[in-house]
């Protein structure tokens, strides 16, 4: 049967090839591929690693696609035929399945060879050359050909020194020379046109930051002296000196510093209203050099005084130019923000008038969204969300958002009819209201927002939520926050919440079921204690928190990028002063609710390295700890303040909330009752993955994750055995897993599939492998489980192959 299929396939290809040949003009060949041979100079023998791939990327147009040398897309193009209707089904199939033939011509070959020579010159391989030729298929019946290029590469030139050439000591020339301090042209680096172009742009931006509004990077020229090796015998032969200077034909207006004269703002939809500055002056009052025309009287004037950083008499800077535009955009009140500068008409003028055209957005909006999700712990669900927005609540660009939502999670795998799955399904619903002010609201304090990169925000939020674990109990949460968000520059952002109040209580408890669990002789006493604490403890938390994120802008051509964030949260101190003391051993209460005193610290460090344009290495380290103290030192941290491990954004070889704490085995009674519910006070996690780009849409990844969670204190407080507590042996309790991933990048979202399996199971350190006749453990299992991998076993696949489905990258 297989041989018959092979014969049929061979006949189809032969017939298809013949049918393509009928359409190929006499003396022409279909272009089906290319080859680049790189030959280094035989005397100096330069390093040419990777040069062939770079040259191959320059070849245009791309060759016709083939399978075993057969141009199948061209065959489809002719087989489908010429469509009668360009918008019809045949036209669509022809464009999707086929492609028009591209013929190999010497003219295209010569153009590509010239482009290769230009590229080598731009990369510093001076005096190199390249030639190309057409290589027809040896089988004369196949009218196909490839192009072959031979590149002869000379040694690469490197920079010896860079000089900024100025004719005098004028203010502009002094500022130009000062720009050399941060130059991208470094001694010993290869001479590259791309770096020189970027250096000119950098200098232009630095000069615009000093008032030179009309300057342009094209006014700079870099001259290269490649003869210094012959003139100075102490230098190597492949070195150059660079001389950067301003072109002689540069206009004097481009070498002058400019200052701000008048600022005009128009919030109407008619852009032409700003063309008549006399009319503008009549429409709005002048304050701080800003004339505001607001036909509908929709906005308070202070939002423009805060957002626009320019003031009359200030020097123009590109930094304030960009910051002002970004602030106006971030107000989220305008469909577009257009900005222009005009020179004040005067023979010796160094003044600029600034104009802002703003088109207001619709003030109120209603948005409905429906989402679906699946999780690695065999839960799937959906959520319906309705959000109403008022973008200008008090006429000061305040944003009021009111949201209501309803969602559920149900068990997708396993039996849903057994009584043991009592709390494995969830329903959640609630509402929230957020009011955001584009300024600081602090009593008795006046902060100038023009000192920050973006407008600061004051956010007031109130949230009410019910989370129902079906047939078990309901958690009600009421939370209120007063927070501030600000940034001094584009790299650092701060968030500070001086007041954060949260009330949490369990309700509607299934006491009959809880009694059955408690009286079951097979139930672990620690599990019983944990369940009772879970359903019988109310919390009143009043605290504060602060977080900061740092994402430095990478230097041009840098392959490395880092991002860091961290925060600290604390609570209960103020309330503990107001609360009454209880009997010894019992926590203080406020309104008959225990006060939680705790401190929580989190850190996140990420490092990315670009290996090639299509391969990127991404890494992340997560650490966190939450510890009660004082009034609450014997109380457990509530679950919503604790950590869990596993899941699509964590250690992907383990299901969400299934790992740990420590070396606790995952098959306890509480998991059978409530699903995966492992939480603890400490988290340490490391993730690393290599991301590969196959096409514009299809990407792949290979990853390794490691980490775990642990508890503070003793077994009584943590409600876990001693193997869950943090100790100096915590490294022996680290879980490791890895796998492969598939990502579909649609630009507006990334759909992700990660298939992972455990490499190291930490609970094996407590599981006996060999037991003596007297019952003593002679040997424990090896936590590294590579020897257990068995893709042919259905039971092994069900337990150890974890498929994570998610939207967005894990980090």
């Amino acid at each position: 049967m297989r041989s018959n299929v092979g014969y049929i396939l061979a006949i189809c290809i032969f017939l298809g090839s013949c049918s393509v040949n009928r359409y190929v003009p006499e003396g022409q060949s279909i272009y089906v591929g290319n080859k680049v041979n790189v030959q280094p100079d035989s005397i100096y023998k330069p390093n040419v690693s990777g040069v062939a791939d770079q040259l191959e990327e320059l070849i245009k147009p791309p060759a016709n696609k083939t399978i075993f040398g057969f141009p199948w897309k061209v065959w489809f193009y002719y087989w489908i035929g010429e469509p009668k209707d360009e918008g019809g089904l045949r036209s669509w199939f022809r464009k999707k399945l086929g492609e028009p033939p591209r013929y190999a011509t010497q003219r295209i070959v010569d153009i590509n060879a010239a482009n290769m020579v230009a590229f080598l010159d731009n990369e510093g391989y001076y005096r190199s050359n390249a030639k190309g030729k057409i290589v027809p298929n040896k089988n004369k019946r196949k009218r196909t050909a490839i192009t072959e290029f031979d590149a002869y590469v000379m040694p690469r030139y490197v920079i010896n020194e860079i000089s900024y050439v100025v004719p005098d000591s004028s203010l502009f020339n002094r500022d130009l020379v000062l720009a050399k301090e941060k130059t991208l042209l470094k001694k010993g680096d290869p001479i590259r046109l791309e770096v020189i172009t970027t250096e000119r742009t950098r200098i232009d931006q630095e000069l615009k930051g000093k008032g030179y509004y009309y300057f342009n990077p094209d006014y700079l020229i870099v001259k290269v002296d490649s003869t210094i090796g012959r003139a100075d015998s102490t230098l190597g032969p492949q070195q150059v000196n660079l001389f950067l200077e301003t072109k002689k034909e540069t206009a004097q207006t481009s070498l002058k510093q400019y200052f701000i004269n008048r600022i005009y703002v128009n919030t109407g939809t008619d852009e032409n209203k700003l063309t008549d500055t006399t009319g503008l002056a009549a429409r709005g009052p002048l304050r701080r050099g800003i004339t505001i025309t607001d036909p509908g009287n929709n906005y308070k004037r202070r939002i423009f005084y805060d957002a626009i950083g320019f003031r009359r008499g200030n020097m123009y800077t590109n930094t304030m130019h960009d910051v002002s535009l970004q602030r106006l955009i971030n107000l989220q009140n305008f469909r577009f923000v257009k900005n222009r500068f005009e020179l004040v008409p005067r023979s010796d003028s160094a003044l600029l008038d600034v104009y802002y055209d703003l088109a207001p957005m619709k003030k109120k909006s209603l948005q409905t969204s429906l989402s679906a999700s699946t999780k690695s712990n065999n839960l799937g669900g959906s959520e319906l969300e309705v959000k109403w927005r008022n973008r200008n609540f008090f006429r000061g660009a305040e944003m009021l958002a009111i949201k209501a939502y309803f969602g559920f999670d149900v068990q997708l795998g396993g039996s849903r009819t057994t009584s043991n799955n009592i709390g494995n399904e969830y329903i959640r619903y609630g509402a929230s209201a957020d009011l955001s002010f584009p300024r600081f609201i602090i009593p008795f304090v006046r902060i100038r927002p023009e000192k920050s990169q973006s407008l600061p925000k004051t956010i007031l939020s109130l949230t009410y939520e019910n989370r129902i674990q079906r047939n078990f109990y309901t958690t009600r949460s009421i939370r209120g926050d007063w927070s501030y968000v600000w940034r001094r520059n584009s790299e650092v952002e701060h968030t500070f919440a001086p007041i954060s109040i949260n009330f949490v209580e369990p309700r509607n408890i299934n006491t009959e079921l809880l009694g059955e669990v408690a009286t079951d002789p097979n139930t672990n006493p620690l599990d019983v204690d944990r369940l009772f604490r879970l359903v019988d403890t109310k919390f009143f938390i009043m605290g504060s928190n602060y977080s900061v994120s740092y994402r430095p802008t990478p230097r041009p051509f840098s392959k490395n990028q880092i991002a860091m964030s961290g925060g600290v949260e604390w609570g209960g101190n103020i309330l503990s002063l107001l609360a009454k003391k209880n009997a010894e051993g019992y926590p203080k209460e406020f309104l008959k609710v225990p006060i939680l005193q705790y401190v929580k610290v989190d850190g996140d460090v990420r490092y990315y390295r670009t290996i090639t344009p299509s391969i990127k290495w991404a890494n992340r380290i997560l650490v966190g700890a939450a510890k009660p103290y004082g009034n609450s030192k014997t109380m457990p941290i509530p679950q919503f303040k604790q950590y869990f491990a596993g899941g699509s954004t964590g250690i992907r070889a383990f299901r969400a909330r299934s790992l740990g704490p420590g070396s606790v085995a995952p098959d306890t009674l509480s998991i059978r009752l409530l699903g995966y519910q492992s939480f603890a006070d400490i988290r340490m996690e490391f993730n690393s993955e290599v991301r590969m780009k196959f096409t514009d849409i299809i990407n792949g990844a290979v990853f390794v994750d490691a980490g775990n969670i642990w508890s503070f204190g003793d077994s009584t407080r943590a409600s876990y055995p001693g193997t869950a507590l943090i100790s100096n042996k915590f490294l022996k309790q680290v879980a490791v897993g890895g796998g492969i991933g598939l990502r579909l990048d649609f630009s507006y979202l990334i759909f992700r599939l990660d298939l992972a399996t455990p490499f190291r199971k930490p609970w094996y350190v407590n599981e006996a492998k060999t037991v003596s006749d007297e019952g003593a453990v002679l040997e424990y299992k090896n936590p590294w489980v590579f020897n257990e991998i068995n893709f042919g076993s259905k039971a092994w696949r069900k337990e150890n192959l974890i498929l994570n489905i998610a939207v967005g990258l894990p980090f």
Side-chain angles (χ1 to χ4, degrees), residues 790-808:
N790 184 3
F791 291 101
S793 170
K794 182 177 179 180
W796 182 89
R797 293 197 305 269
K798 183 178 180 180
E799 179 183 350
N800 295 280
L801 286 184
I802 310 299
L803 179 63
N804 296 275
I805 304 175
V807 174

Side-chain angles (χ1 to χ4, degrees), residues 668-684:
T668 62
L669 179 63
S670 63
I671 290 177
R672 295 195 297 273
L673 288 172
L674 305 174
Y676 297 106
Q677 295 290 331
S678 295
F679 293 85
D681 309 321
I682 304 170
R683 172 179 63 181
M684 299 182 192

